[in-house]
Amino acid sequence: MRTVLITGATSGIGQQLATDYAKEGWLVVACGRNASRLEALKASHPGISTLCFDVTQYEAVAAAFATLSNVPDLWIFSAGDCEYIDNGRIDSELCQRVMAVNFFGVVHCLQAAQDYLKSGNHVAVISSVASVVPLPRSEAYGASKAALDYFLSALRLDWHEKHIDLSLISPGFVDTPLTQKNTFAMPMCISVQAASKAIQVALAKRKSRIFFPRLFTGMLRFIGLLPHDTQQWIVRRLTRT
Ligand SMILES: NC(=O)c1ccc[n+]([C@@H]2O[C@H](COP(=O)([O-])OP(=O)(O)OC[C@H]3O[C@@H](n4cnc5c(N)ncnc54)[C@H](OP(=O)(O)O)[C@@H]3O)[C@@H](O)[C@H]2O)c1
């Protein structure tokens, strides 16, 4: 039986992936920091076990992974958070909080997993299409995801000989508690069920870069190819309220 480990499994995309993989007969190790939500998830399906830790604490991540009885075939690092910069006022503590979860949280998971990974294993990290084109108020969030993109792409080069597949998942807007806080329009926002399906299909093909929904992420990727000043002009016009 195949095993998948998922961080951020107590909400949104991670939670949907956990229940969908469990329904497909995978053993699921659902990871989160909220013990009661993890208990509810475990009770919802017999194939789900849980690990409770905060991804910003390396020692806690390493201790949790050390308890794994078998090495997961697939590791999906979905835990993440979003905070916006308001009125262009730089807030370094906000930036550090966002980097601690979105960038260092993933680095901690990769570091803690690296000694268990073997040839044929598959690691997937949820980034965001926000890393492709700079967006207003996204200085911290976009930078954390752009850092992940670079880190994963460089790591893919270094892990090439190990035959461990690395997938970088870059969604557009998905309807989850993370985006339900947003007060601005979210074009082409898709359901969490559709996001989970898109991720499962692409991961089964072991794709290295995964973008969805196709039209929205395709438009942003096209804008990202344009000259810098043109990109900024388009983004200013598109995001003007
Ligand atoms: N929704 C979107 O439109 C969208 C688009 C692009 C990329 N993404 C990315 O997709 C991933 C999942 O987002 P989502 O929309 O599913 O958000 P979500 O519903 O808010 O879920 C985020 C998950 O991450 C967990 N988490 C946050 N900080 C953590 C920490 N320090 N330690 C351990 N777990 C922590 C949360 O746990 P708690 O329940 O304890 O808070 C929750 O389970 C994130 O990386 C996000 O950046 C989302």
Side-chain angles (χ1 to χ4, degrees), residues 117-136:
L117 292 169
K118 51 183 196 281
S119 175
N121 286 167
H122 187 185
V123 179
V125 173
I126 308 205
S127 177
S128 167
V129 76
S131 66
V132 172
V133 177
L135 300 169

Side-chain angles (χ1 to χ4, degrees), residues 14-174:
Q15 184 174 355
Q16 189 66 41
L17 284 167
T19 51
D20 287 351
Y21 274 111
K23 281 181 195 156
E24 285 189 5
W26 289 61
L27 292 177
V28 175
V29 183
C31 307
R33 58 184 172 173
N34 182 316
S36 58
R37 279 198 237 156
L38 285 175
E39 272 310 306
L41 193 57
K42 189 175 168 183
S44 73
H45 200 285
I48 299 181
S49 61
T50 60
L51 288 177
C52 192
F53 58 86
D54 184 322
V55 294
T56 65
Q57 308 298 318
Y58 173 70
E59 297 301 335
V61 182
F65 287 1
T67 67
L68 289 168
S69 49
N70 60 326
V71 179
D73 307 275
L74 173 60
W75 307 64
I76 305 177
F77 300 139
S78 182
D81 201 2
C82 181
E83 292 187 67
Y84 292 115
I85 294 281
D86 285 326
N87 306 313
R89 294 282 306 167
I90 296 163
D91 178 341
S92 61
E93 287 185 5
L94 180 157
C95 294
Q96 284 180 20
R97 283 195 300 274
V98 172
M99 290 298 288
V101 179
N102 291 359
F103 180 68
F104 285 104
V106 172
V107 174
H108 291 161
C109 290
L110 288 165
Q111 182 183 343
Q114 65 186 347
D115 290 335
Y116 304 109
L117 292 169
K118 51 183 196 281
S119 175
N121 286 167
H122 187 185
V123 179
V125 173
I126 308 205
S127 177
S128 167
V129 76
S131 66
V132 172
V133 177
L135 300 169
R137 301 181 62 216
S138 299
E139 289 87 347
Y141 183 75
S144 71
K145 297 298 191 179
L148 264 190
D149 290 8
Y150 191 99
F151 193 95
L152 259 288
S153 298
L155 191 63
R156 191 177 298 117
L157 296 171
D158 283 327
W159 281 10
H160 181 69
E161 301 296 323
K162 295 177 189 270
H163 304 291
I164 295 162
D165 288 323
L166 285 173
S167 295
L168 192 58
I169 303 168
S170 302
F173 291 115
V174 181

Side-chain angles (χ1 to χ4, degrees), residues 179-197:
T179 49
Q180 283 155 12
K181 294 180 284 192
N182 290 343
T183 51
F184 52 83
M186 295 186 284
M188 298 179 221
C189 185
I190 63 169
S191 71
V192 73
Q193 292 84 359
S196 172
K197 189 80 211 158

